[in-house]
Amino acid sequence: MRIVFCNIGWMKGYRGVSEEDTITSGGAYVDKSHQGAEQYNFLNTDGCYYGYVCTKSSGSKENELHIEKIDSAFEGKDFIDDVLVVWVAKRPNDKVGARIIGWYKNARVYRYYQENAIAFYNIKANIEDCVLIPPMYRSYIIYPARVIGAGKGMGKSNIWFAKGEEAEEIVENCISYIDSYYYERYDEPIREGQLSFITKDHMENLEGYLKKGDNLLEENPLKAIQYYNKVIHEKGEDLNVLYNKAVGLANLRLYSRSRELFEYILTKDNGHKNAKKKFKELENLLKDVI
């Protein structure tokens, strides 16, 4: 199995730094600026996570993640697919070792940094193949090589390729832990059934459902969509309600789904100015994201 361990700063949610979720234990830059590109490692962006791990440059060469150390067949290649990326971070006040905070399965790992509309990244995976462990359940520790023995843990680099006989047992135990993990995930993704769910809440009339959806559109777009689904189910297709639902999808960062719905609206009414504007905005955004 292709596997790589990546050491990053410690956060709860990795959906951006906020007052409720700061980043720590990420090195000198993170400690000074309280920022780090890994802060977005579990931010849903059109159904994918875009992960960052800090790499080193060599002389005049660009910062590089040596993917040939994952699989020697990828010497000189720009990326490698089907990699298990194990994210580890040092919990504040822990004296030694880094805890597994989550993983990407079937990930694409890039040799050089990529950039999208959100941040720099060098690893990408579908949300369904990823897990972020709730902070209270982050108990699995990867000890450093200086403590457990050469080749059996992470060194000074943020990246450990876990090669050699010394690492075999560590890797085997880690994979077993990941495959048998049964706790909830901290980054629970939005399921298809949630997007099509029709609210069971009772309102006096359809106008009440529509108004409730509009009030929730920014604060809780998923709930708003479920109110709009009720209106569409009872009233039938209404382009203005579909427009609001498409806005809700965009607010959930489901950009491709949102674009498809705006495109559908335009097939029904090519003069719908707001839908046309949103469609173009999403077209440009997706060029920078994917």
Side-chain angles (χ1 to χ4, degrees), residues 4 16 25 53 65 107 119 122 138 165 178 183 186 203 246 269 288:
V4 64
S25 306
V53 60
L65 200 164
N122 42 15
R138 297 174 187 173
E165 292 182 4
I178 289 172
Y183 297 110
Y186 199 66
M203 299 285 173
D269 179 7
D288 291 333

Side-chain angles (χ1 to χ4, degrees), residues 5-63:
F5 292 79
C6 297
N7 183 54
I8 57 176
W10 177 276
M11 295 184 71
K12 290 184 291 186
Y14 295 91
R15 292 188 287 272
V17 169
S18 66
E19 291 184 3
E20 295 75 28
D21 194 7
T22 58
I23 184 170
T24 60
S25 306
Y29 174 79
V30 169
D31 292 342
K32 182 178 180 179
S33 67
H34 307 293
Q35 297 287 328
E38 63 262 49
Q39 68 178 284
Y40 300 113
N41 278 14
F42 287 87
L43 176 68
N44 172 18
T45 305
D46 206 41
C48 290
Y49 289 144
Y50 293 82
Y52 170 91
V53 60
C54 182
T55 59
K56 301 293 185 182
S57 60
S58 177
S60 60
K61 291 184 178 180
E62 186 179 354
N63 287 46

Side-chain angles (χ1 to χ4, degrees), residues 103-160:
W103 52 84
Y104 293 179
K105 291 183 177 180
N106 306 312
R108 171 170 289 188
V109 180
Y110 294 90
R111 182 177 297 277
Y112 301 111
Y113 290 140
Q114 309 293 304
E115 186 177 9
N116 61 22
I118 311 302
F120 287 102
Y121 66 95
N122 42 15
I123 303 171
K124 175 184 176 183
N126 292 323
I127 285 179
E128 296 297 332
D129 291 329
C130 305
V131 168
L132 176 64
I133 303 172
M136 69 180 71
Y137 297 132
R138 297 174 187 173
S139 58
Y140 197 108
I141 298 177
I142 301 295
Y143 289 98
R146 62 181 173 81
V147 172
I148 199 171
K152 295 183 178 181
M154 300 195 72
K156 293 182 179 180
S157 172
N158 289 318
I159 300 164
W160 181 43

